[in-house]
Amino acid sequence: MDRRIDGSAGRRIRRSHDRSILRSAALLLCAVCLATPATAQYTDARLVPKGVLRIGFEPQYSSYRERFDAAGLTEPLGTDFTDSAAGVRLFPTLATPQSALGSIIGDPSYAMNLGAFRTTLDADHRQFPLTLQFGLLGRLTLTARVPLVTTRSQVDFVVDSTVGDVGWNQLATQSGNSAAALQDIQTLFAELDAAAAAVDARIAAGDYGCPSSPECDDAREAVDDARQLKLDLAALAGVDGSGTPAGILTPFAPLTGSSAGSALLAAIQDVTARLTALGAPAVTAIYPLPAAAIGAGGVNEMLADSAYGYAASPLAFTKYSMKLGDIEVGLRLGLVQSRSFRAVLATTVRLPTGKLDDPDNYLDIGTGDKQPDVEFGFEGAWEPGSFLGLAGSASYNLQLSHNLVRRVSSHVRPIAPLTTRATVARKLGDELRAALHPSLRLSPAFTAYGTVAYYRRASNTYDLVGTPPSGEALDASELAFETSMTSWSFGGGIHYYHMGRSGQNLPIEAGIDYRAAFQGEGGQTPKYGGVTFYLRLHWRLFGRGEEQPIEAAPTEPPPAEPSTEPS
């Protein structure tokens, strides 16, 4: 009798304790928002029984070589690094020498042309996550996900220099002529200075009918043109007034046989001839120009050399060895868990444990966003007992802000100089996901399903933090250009769900899920395809397991649902 009373009291205490935990968990769900994990592959709307641990191994592979542009059309992933006449858009440091050369040859519209760039990119993302779910109560499950991630950017960078008109600036070490070229430029500058000074002295002495005569005006104009020519040549070469390299070296100059190169030499000859005709000493030095164009190797040398203002990784194959991604922890709360209908609320907090992409590598892919996220959402499954079923899910991901180092430029000007490197406060746009999964039970253990999924991300926002190390005035909002994303994806898979025969009433789950994006827009939305394999095993850690798992029928387990997430 006493034992029965004690047992009844113990059960009441345990029920009271369970209700207390459930209330606390519900408060936690409200406090951090309710969400499905952002990387889930399978919408099952199931809970793990109390005292049971589920361990899942769910490797994922996704790849893409195309993206959806702002109008929803597909374009190659390497579009931003491709140009039929590569110039200032890809290499902003060419703006000053290009303007100087245009001034010399009398063509303000002149554009330097390195040749036709074709860049083919093929990116992939491989995850090897360990997923854990533990039944705290009959309707409350604790979740965790620890992903190991490998990323890869396969690059095929080709330059057709036959259509270009520039080669190495002869002051560049890579030209193999830097010492001689420096002497030639310094001699040219000294001779221009001497010739201009000689004519200037005669003007001051009253020669050429000065101070007022057409010949005097011509003499003054010749002196002004000579001094402007020297300034423009200095800007083209990347030197100061004495011909000494100063600051960032200009990497390229017009080819000696090109239209721009010929016009440059003709302009120098015209100015010096006018000075000589006015009685100035002859100018005999010749401005050194390159004879060979730049290829892909030369472009990558320029990017890697800090002397040219980029100090970046070359446009080449990039791969991360396996590193930790963003870890996730959360709770799942069962609203309804019957044989014909299940509904679950869940919350996931994503931790900033991944590795960001390298701002000095223009083609790098990180292993995570490395900022905290909180998601809230819903999963539901309707299985009326026939061969057909329907599952659905929706989630909202609140992405929180954090600070990181970026090169401040829009994606259409992807090769940003080192002077644009700055710390910014980034707020990734919040994400909305929704999916439907019609299913067909093939046998008591196997279910086939399809997936229609929608994804939307709002635009990112960026703000500068402090003053950039370069002191350059930067507009961080450039980074937000075309960062909103919208896509529709379709797919399906096979799911295996079988109750074990050990008397523990615990299932074994396995399957394969395929997903691919078929429609989207935004400018940078990847047109991905991916596949996920999974195996999930259950172990009872405590409790006697008398209860039949509420999600499993006694003789015929119901079908499970596919993922809400693109791989």
Side-chain angles (χ1 to χ4, degrees):
M1 181 67 172
D2 291 341
R3 285 194 298 271
R4 287 196 298 270
I5 293 174
D6 290 343
S8 176
R11 284 191 295 273
R12 286 196 299 271
I13 291 172
R14 285 194 297 272
R15 285 196 296 269
S16 175
H17 179 63
D18 287 353
R19 285 194 296 269
S20 176
I21 295 177
L22 192 58
R23 284 194 296 269
S24 299
L27 289 174
L28 177 61
L29 289 170
C30 294
V32 299
C33 300
L34 304 174
T36 52
T39 52
Q41 289 81 41
Y42 193 81
T43 305
D44 57 9
R46 300 178 187 276
L47 298 176
V48 175
K50 179 180 176 181
V52 172
L53 174 67
R54 188 182 85 174
I55 298 178
F57 180 60
E58 305 177 3
Q60 303 173 6
Y61 172 82
S62 62
S63 65
Y64 50 99
R65 60 181 59 189
E66 291 182 309
R67 70 186 186 191
F68 298 105
D69 66 14
L73 303 176
T74 57
E75 60 186 8
L77 192 59
T79 293
D80 293 336
F81 296 90
T82 298
D83 201 317
S84 60
V88 171
R89 180 185 73 83
L90 286 176
F91 305 101
T93 57
L94 296 182
T96 296
Q98 175 178 283
S99 176
L101 182 54
S103 173
I104 293 170
I105 66 177
D107 182 6
S109 65
Y110 168 74
M112 282 188 169
N113 180 4
L114 277 69
F117 282 21
R118 179 179 58 80
T119 306
T120 303
L121 296 183
D122 183 359
D124 68 53
H125 189 272
R126 309 174 193 189
Q127 287 197 45
F128 302 89
L130 176 67
T131 63
L132 304 172
Q133 292 197 8
F134 178 68
L136 295 175
L137 298 174
R139 293 201 176 185
L140 183 65
T141 296
L142 174 68
T143 67
R145 186 175 187 273
V146 182
L148 296 175
V149 181
T150 297
T151 62
R152 180 185 66 94
S153 291
Q154 180 65 52
V155 184
D156 182 18
F157 175 50
V158 178
V159 175
D160 179 5
S161 57
T162 61
V163 297
D165 68 351
V166 299
W168 280 113
N169 176 2
Q170 294 299 282
L171 294 184
T173 303
Q174 290 83 352
S175 72
N177 187 43
S178 57
L182 180 60
Q183 184 175 354
D184 288 343
I185 288 175
Q186 290 176 340
T187 301
L188 176 60
F189 283 8
E191 290 181 348
L192 280 172
D193 282 341
V199 174
D200 218 12
R202 293 187 60 178
I203 292 172
D207 290 350
Y208 316 123
C210 293
S212 177
S213 73
E215 187 181 3
C216 185
D217 292 341
D218 290 343
R220 289 194 182 100
E221 184 179 3
V223 170
D224 291 342
D225 288 348
R227 288 172 174 158
Q228 183 60 51
L229 173 64
K230 179 187 171 184
L231 290 175
D232 288 336
L233 289 174
L236 175 62
V239 298
D240 61 17
S242 65
T244 302
I248 295 175
L249 186 64
T250 301
F252 307 126
L255 293 171
T256 187
S258 67
S259 297
S262 298
L264 167 65
L265 297 179
I268 295 174
Q269 185 177 11
D270 176 69
V271 170
T272 57
R274 288 161 57 197
L275 293 173
T276 302
L278 291 168
V283 177
T284 59
I286 298 176
Y287 187 88
L289 293 177
I294 297 292
V299 172
N300 280 331
E301 283 187 66
M302 184 268 292
L303 290 177
D305 194 333
S306 60
Y308 306 112
Y310 292 95
S313 299
L315 302 180
F317 176 82
T318 300
K319 180 180 179 180
Y320 265 141
S321 56
M322 191 174 293
K323 295 185 181 297
L324 187 64
D326 292 335
I327 294 175
E328 301 169 2
V329 293
L331 292 171
R332 292 168 62 82
L333 176 65
L335 300 179
V336 180
Q337 292 286 291
S338 69
R339 291 176 184 172
S340 61
F341 181 72
R342 296 186 300 276
V344 171
L345 293 177
T347 183
T348 295
V349 176
R350 193 165 295 107
L351 306 177
T353 54
K355 182 176 178 60
L356 286 170
D357 56 293
D358 184 356
D360 299 325
N361 186 333
Y362 303 119
L363 302 175
D364 193 26
I365 303 173
T367 66
D369 291 334
K370 204 173 177 62
Q371 103 280 325
D373 293 352
V374 179
E375 281 199 17
F376 61 94
F378 170 82
E379 295 177 13
W382 179 56
E383 297 163 350
S386 64
F387 291 104
L388 301 178
L390 181 66
S393 64
S395 66
Y396 187 87
N397 183 28
L398 176 64
Q399 306 207 74
L400 307 180
S401 62
H402 68 133
N403 293 351
L404 73 166
V405 175
R406 297 284 88 175
R407 294 197 181 204
V408 178
S409 180
S410 72
H411 75 87
V412 296
R413 295 191 298 276
I415 304 178
L418 186 61
T419 54
T420 65
R421 206 174 190 271
T423 300
V424 298
R426 179 179 73 172
K427 167 69 169 64
L428 291 174
D430 293 347
E431 298 172 310
L432 174 66
R433 293 176 173 86
L436 285 176
H437 318 285
S439 62
L440 174 65
R441 188 182 306 170
L442 303 178
S443 74
F446 286 94
T447 298
Y449 59 85
T451 298
V452 179
Y454 171 78
Y455 170 79
R456 181 181 64 80
R457 190 183 78 182
S459 294
N460 302 341
T461 59
Y462 296 85
D463 294 292
L464 283 177
V465 177
T467 302
S470 65
E472 185 171 326
L474 302 174
D475 181 5
S477 64
E478 283 193 82
L479 291 165
F481 179 65
E482 291 188 342
T483 54
S484 62
M485 297 183 182
T486 301
S487 69
W488 286 91
S489 60
F490 302 91
I494 297 291
H495 179 63
Y496 173 82
Y497 186 97
H498 178 66
M499 298 301 296
R501 301 300 182 186
S502 63
Q504 292 294 316
N505 294 321
L506 299 177
I508 297 174
E509 298 178 66
I512 179 172
D513 180 277
Y514 174 77
R515 198 74 53 81
F518 286 90
Q519 183 179 335
E521 60 183 31
Q524 301 185 67
T525 306
K527 187 179 186 297
Y528 68 89
V531 63
T532 300
F533 301 90
Y534 53 90
L535 173 65
R536 299 164 183 158
L537 304 175
H538 296 68
W539 283 272
R540 183 171 298 281
L541 300 186
F542 62 82
R544 292 177 296 175
E546 304 94 335
E547 74 276 14
Q548 176 76 8
I550 197 164
E551 69 270 21
T555 59
E556 204 172 273
E561 296 74 34
S563 168
T564 62
E565 294 296 327
S567 300

